[in-house]
Amino acid sequence: MTADDPEIEEMVRESSLNAELAQLIYTARKQAGLTQQQLADRIGTKQSVIARLEDADYEGHSLSMLQKIARALNQRLEVKLVGNSDLMQ
C-alpha cells in the first residue's frame, strides 16, 4: 500500500522511530524502578513531560532531553547512523 508513495513511507518510518524512542524511555524507566514523577524529579522537569516523551505519537524528542534521561537512569546515550539499503530502493 505504501510502496508507491514515498511520503507515506517516510511518515511510517518517522512514526516507527518515535514509537521506538517512547518505548525505550518507558522500558528504561520501569527497569530502574522509577515512576514518571521520580524520573521527572531527577532531571528537573514535570511528570507530564515524561508522559509526553513516553507517548508513541510524540515527535519532539531532543538529544539533550534523551541525554538527561540516560544520565538520570545511570545509562549512556548512543546515537548511530546506520546504512539501510531498503531506503535506497
Side-chain angles (χ1 to χ4, degrees), residues 32-83:
L34 298 176
T35 65
Q36 289 180 343
Q37 184 63 57
Q38 290 168 322
L39 179 56
D41 291 344
R42 285 188 179 192
I43 63 174
T45 192
K46 296 179 180 180
Q47 176 274 330
S48 61
V49 171
I50 302 302
R52 192 175 327 126
L53 292 168
E54 292 181 356
D55 182 341
D57 294 327
Y58 181 65
E59 298 179 352
H61 298 94
S62 72
L63 287 175
S64 62
M65 181 58 81
L66 293 172
Q67 183 64 39
K68 287 179 185 179
I69 290 169
R71 273 192 235 114
L73 298 174
N74 198 30
Q75 295 191 16
R76 183 170 55 96
L77 178 66
E78 283 188 12
V79 178
K80 296 180 183 182
L81 297 175
V82 180

Side-chain angles (χ1 to χ4, degrees), residues 14-30:
E14 286 180 21
S15 293
S16 295
L17 179 59
N18 292 333
E20 186 177 343
L21 282 170
Q23 186 63 47
L24 285 171
I25 294 166
Y26 172 81
T27 301
R29 177 181 61 77
K30 293 299 266 185

